[in-house]
Coordinates of all heavy atoms in Angstrom, one line a residue:
R334 N 6.2 -2.6 5.9 CA 5.9 -3.4 4.7 C 6.5 -2.6 3.6 O 6.6 -1.4 3.6 CB 4.4 -3.5 4.5 CG 3.7 -4.5 5.4 CD 3.8 -5.9 4.9 NE 3.0 -6.8 5.6 CZ 3.5 -7.8 6.3 NH1 4.8 -8.0 6.4 NH2 2.7 -8.7 6.9
P335 N 6.9 -3.3 2.5 CA 7.3 -2.6 1.3 C 6.0 -1.9 0.7 O 4.9 -2.6 0.7 CB 7.8 -3.6 0.4 CG 7.3 -4.9 0.9 CD 7.0 -4.7 2.3
T336 N 6.1 -0.7 0.2 CA 4.9 -0.1 -0.4 C 4.5 -1.0 -1.6 O 3.4 -1.2 -1.9 CB 5.2 1.3 -0.9 OG1 6.3 1.3 -1.8 CG2 5.6 2.2 0.2
S337 N 5.5 -1.5 -2.3 CA 5.4 -2.5 -3.4 C 6.8 -2.9 -3.7 O 7.8 -2.3 -3.2 CB 4.7 -1.9 -4.6 OG 5.4 -0.7 -5.0
S338 N 6.9 -4.0 -4.4 CA 8.2 -4.6 -4.7 C 8.3 -4.9 -6.2 O 7.3 -5.2 -6.8 CB 8.5 -5.9 -3.9 OG 8.5 -5.6 -2.5
L339 N 9.5 -4.8 -6.7 CA 9.8 -5.2 -8.1 C 10.2 -6.6 -8.1 O 11.1 -7.0 -7.4 CB 10.9 -4.3 -8.7 CG 10.6 -2.8 -8.8 CD1 11.8 -2.1 -9.6 CD2 9.3 -2.5 -9.5
A340 N 9.6 -7.4 -8.9 CA 9.8 -8.8 -9.1 C 10.2 -9.1 -10.5 O 9.9 -8.4 -11.4 CB 8.6 -9.7 -8.6
L341 N 10.9 -10.2 -10.7 CA 11.3 -10.6 -12.1 C 10.5 -11.8 -12.6 O 10.4 -12.8 -11.9 CB 12.8 -11.0 -12.0 CG 13.5 -11.4 -13.3 CD1 13.4 -10.4 -14.3 CD2 15.0 -11.7 -12.9
N342 N 9.9 -11.6 -13.7 CA 9.1 -12.7 -14.3 C 10.0 -13.9 -14.6 O 11.0 -13.8 -15.2 CB 8.6 -12.2 -15.7 CG 7.6 -13.1 -16.3 OD1 7.5 -14.3 -15.9 ND2 6.9 -12.7 -17.4
A343 N 9.6 -15.1 -14.1 CA 10.3 -16.3 -14.2 C 10.5 -16.7 -15.7 O 11.4 -17.4 -16.1 CB 9.7 -17.4 -13.4
R344 N 9.6 -16.2 -16.6 CA 9.6 -16.6 -18.0 C 10.3 -15.5 -18.8 O 10.3 -15.6 -20.0 CB 8.2 -16.7 -18.5 CG 7.4 -17.9 -17.9 CD 6.0 -18.0 -18.6 NE 5.2 -19.1 -18.0 CZ 4.1 -19.5 -18.5 NH1 3.6 -18.9 -19.6 NH2 3.4 -20.5 -17.9
S345 N 10.9 -14.5 -18.2 CA 11.5 -13.5 -19.0 C 12.7 -14.0 -19.8 O 13.5 -14.9 -19.3 CB 12.1 -12.4 -18.0 OG 12.9 -11.5 -18.7
N346 N 12.9 -13.5 -21.0 CA 14.0 -13.8 -21.8 C 15.1 -12.9 -21.6 O 16.2 -13.0 -22.3 CB 13.6 -13.9 -23.3 CG 12.6 -15.0 -23.6 OD1 12.7 -16.1 -23.1 ND2 11.6 -14.7 -24.4
F347 N 14.9 -11.9 -20.8 CA 16.0 -10.8 -20.6 C 16.1 -10.6 -19.1 O 16.0 -9.4 -18.7 CB 15.5 -9.6 -21.4 CG 15.3 -9.8 -22.8 CD1 13.9 -9.9 -23.3 CD2 16.3 -9.9 -23.7 CE1 13.7 -10.2 -24.6 CE2 16.0 -10.2 -25.1 CZ 14.7 -10.3 -25.5
K348 N 16.5 -11.6 -18.4 CA 16.5 -11.5 -16.9 C 17.6 -10.5 -16.4 O 17.4 -9.8 -15.5 CB 16.6 -12.9 -16.3 CG 15.4 -13.7 -16.5 CD 15.5 -15.1 -16.0 CE 14.2 -15.9 -16.3 NZ 14.4 -17.3 -15.9
Q349 N 18.8 -10.6 -17.0 CA 19.9 -9.8 -16.6 C 19.6 -8.3 -16.8 O 19.8 -7.4 -16.0 CB 21.2 -10.2 -17.3 CG 21.8 -11.4 -16.8 CD 22.4 -11.3 -15.4 OE1 22.9 -10.2 -15.0 NE2 22.4 -12.4 -14.6
E350 N 19.0 -8.0 -18.0 CA 18.7 -6.6 -18.4 C 17.6 -6.1 -17.5 O 17.6 -5.0 -17.0 CB 18.3 -6.6 -19.8 CG 19.4 -6.8 -20.8 CD 19.5 -8.3 -21.2 OE1 18.9 -9.1 -20.5 OE2 20.2 -8.6 -22.2
A351 N 16.6 -7.0 -17.2 CA 15.4 -6.6 -16.4 C 15.9 -6.3 -14.9 O 15.5 -5.4 -14.3 CB 14.4 -7.7 -16.4
A352 N 16.8 -7.2 -14.4 CA 17.3 -7.0 -13.1 C 18.2 -5.7 -13.0 O 18.1 -5.0 -11.9 CB 18.2 -8.2 -12.7
H353 N 18.9 -5.4 -14.0 CA 19.6 -4.1 -14.0 C 18.7 -2.9 -14.0 O 19.0 -2.0 -13.2 CB 20.5 -4.1 -15.3 CG 21.5 -2.9 -15.3 ND1 21.2 -1.7 -15.9 CD2 22.7 -2.8 -14.8 CE1 22.2 -0.9 -15.8 NE2 23.2 -1.6 -15.1
L354 N 17.6 -3.0 -14.7 CA 16.6 -1.9 -14.6 C 16.0 -1.8 -13.3 O 15.8 -0.7 -12.7 CB 15.5 -2.2 -15.7 CG 14.3 -1.3 -15.7 CD1 14.7 0.2 -15.8 CD2 13.4 -1.7 -16.9
M355 N 15.7 -3.0 -12.7 CA 15.1 -3.0 -11.3 C 16.0 -2.3 -10.3 O 15.6 -1.5 -9.5 CB 14.8 -4.4 -10.9 CG 13.7 -5.1 -11.6 SD 13.7 -6.9 -11.4 CE 13.6 -7.1 -9.6
D356 N 17.3 -2.6 -10.4 CA 18.3 -2.1 -9.5 C 18.4 -0.5 -9.6 O 18.4 0.2 -8.6 CB 19.7 -2.7 -9.7 CG 20.8 -2.1 -8.9 OD1 20.8 -2.4 -7.7 OD2 21.5 -1.2 -9.4
W357 N 18.4 -0.1 -10.9 CA 18.4 1.4 -11.1 C 17.2 2.1 -10.6 O 17.3 3.1 -9.9 CB 18.6 1.6 -12.6 CG 18.9 3.0 -13.0 CD1 20.1 3.6 -13.1 CD2 17.9 4.1 -13.2 NE1 20.0 4.9 -13.4 CE2 18.7 5.3 -13.4 CE3 16.5 4.2 -13.2 CZ2 18.1 6.5 -13.7 CZ3 15.9 5.4 -13.5 CH2 16.7 6.5 -13.7
F358 N 16.1 1.5 -10.8 CA 14.8 2.1 -10.4 C 14.7 2.3 -8.9 O 14.3 3.4 -8.4 CB 13.6 1.3 -10.9 CG 12.3 1.9 -10.7 CD1 11.8 2.8 -11.6 CD2 11.5 1.7 -9.6 CE1 10.5 3.4 -11.5 CE2 10.3 2.3 -9.4 CZ 9.8 3.1 -10.4
V359 N 15.2 1.3 -8.1 CA 15.0 1.4 -6.6 C 16.2 2.0 -5.9 O 16.1 2.5 -4.8 CB 14.7 0.0 -6.0 CG1 13.5 -0.5 -6.6 CG2 15.9 -0.9 -6.3
S360 N 17.4 2.0 -6.5 CA 18.6 2.4 -5.8 C 19.4 3.6 -6.4 O 20.2 4.2 -5.6 CB 19.6 1.2 -5.7 OG 19.0 0.2 -4.8
D361 N 19.3 3.9 -7.6 CA 20.2 4.9 -8.2 C 19.7 6.3 -7.8 O 18.5 6.6 -7.8 CB 20.1 4.8 -9.7 CG 21.3 5.6 -10.3 OD1 21.2 6.9 -10.4 OD2 22.3 5.0 -10.8
P362 N 20.6 7.2 -7.3 CA 20.2 8.5 -6.9 C 19.5 9.3 -8.0 O 18.6 10.1 -7.7 CB 21.5 9.2 -6.5 CG 22.4 8.0 -6.1 CD 22.0 6.9 -7.0
A363 N 19.8 9.1 -9.3 CA 19.2 9.8 -10.4 C 17.7 9.4 -10.4 O 16.8 10.2 -10.7 CB 19.9 9.5 -11.7
S364 N 17.4 8.1 -10.2 CA 16.0 7.7 -10.2 C 15.3 8.2 -9.0 O 14.2 8.7 -9.1 CB 16.0 6.1 -10.2 OG 14.6 5.7 -10.0
A365 N 16.0 8.2 -7.8 CA 15.4 8.7 -6.6 C 15.0 10.1 -6.7 O 14.0 10.6 -6.1 CB 16.3 8.4 -5.4
S366 N 15.9 10.9 -7.4 CA 15.6 12.4 -7.5 C 14.4 12.6 -8.3 O 13.7 13.6 -8.1 CB 16.8 13.0 -8.1 OG 17.9 12.9 -7.3
I367 N 14.0 11.7 -9.2 CA 12.8 11.8 -10.0 C 11.6 11.4 -9.3 O 10.6 12.0 -9.2 CB 13.0 11.0 -11.3 CG1 14.1 11.6 -12.2 CG2 11.6 11.0 -12.1 CD1 14.4 10.8 -13.4
L368 N 11.8 10.2 -8.6 CA 10.6 9.6 -7.9 C 10.3 10.3 -6.6 O 9.1 10.4 -6.2 CB 10.9 8.1 -7.6 CG 11.1 7.2 -8.8 CD1 11.6 5.8 -8.3 CD2 9.8 7.0 -9.5
G369 N 11.3 10.9 -5.9 CA 11.0 11.6 -4.7 C 10.3 10.7 -3.7 O 10.7 9.5 -3.5
L370 N 9.2 11.1 -3.1 CA 8.5 10.4 -2.1 C 7.2 9.9 -2.7 O 6.2 9.6 -2.0 CB 8.2 11.2 -0.9 CG 9.5 11.5 0.0 CD1 9.2 12.6 0.9 CD2 9.8 10.2 0.8
V371 N 7.1 9.7 -4.0 CA 5.9 9.3 -4.6 C 5.4 7.9 -4.1 O 4.2 7.6 -4.1 CB 6.0 9.2 -6.2 CG1 6.9 8.1 -6.6 CG2 4.6 9.1 -6.9
S372 N 6.3 7.1 -3.7 CA 6.0 5.8 -3.1 C 6.2 5.7 -1.6 O 5.9 4.7 -1.0 CB 6.8 4.7 -3.8 OG 6.6 4.6 -5.2
G373 N 6.6 6.8 -1.0 CA 7.0 6.8 0.4 C 8.5 6.8 0.5 O 9.3 6.9 -0.5
P374 N 9.1 6.8 1.7 CA 10.5 6.8 1.9 C 11.2 5.7 1.2 O 10.8 4.5 1.4 CB 10.7 6.7 3.4 CG 9.4 7.2 4.0 CD 8.3 6.8 3.0
P375 N 12.2 6.0 0.3 CA 12.8 4.9 -0.4 C 13.5 3.8 0.5 O 13.9 4.1 1.6 CB 13.9 5.6 -1.2 CG 13.4 7.0 -1.3 CD 12.7 7.3 0.0
A376 N 13.5 2.6 -0.1 CA 14.0 1.5 0.7 C 15.5 1.4 0.8 O 16.1 0.9 1.8 CB 13.4 0.2 0.2
S377 N 16.2 1.8 -0.3 CA 17.6 1.7 -0.3 C 18.3 2.9 0.3 O 17.7 4.0 0.2 CB 18.2 1.4 -1.7 OG 18.2 2.7 -2.5
R378 N 19.4 2.8 0.9 CA 20.1 3.9 1.5 C 20.4 5.0 0.5 O 20.2 6.2 0.8 CB 21.3 3.4 2.3 CG 21.0 2.6 3.5 CD 22.3 2.3 4.3 NE 23.3 1.6 3.5 CZ 23.4 0.3 3.5 NH1 22.5 -0.5 4.1 NH2 24.3 -0.3 2.8

Side-chain angles (χ1 to χ4, degrees):
R334 284 279 189 241
T336 58
S337 54
S338 297
L339 298 186
L341 181 55
N342 185 351
R344 297 186 180 185
S345 171
N346 292 320
F347 305 99
K348 292 175 181 175
Q349 285 290 330
E350 294 88 346
H353 188 267
L354 171 56
M355 291 164 60
D356 176 79
W357 189 89
F358 189 86
V359 299
S360 292
D361 196 284
S364 174
S366 295
I367 295 170
L368 295 172
L370 288 162
V371 68
S372 298
S377 79
R378 290 189 298 272

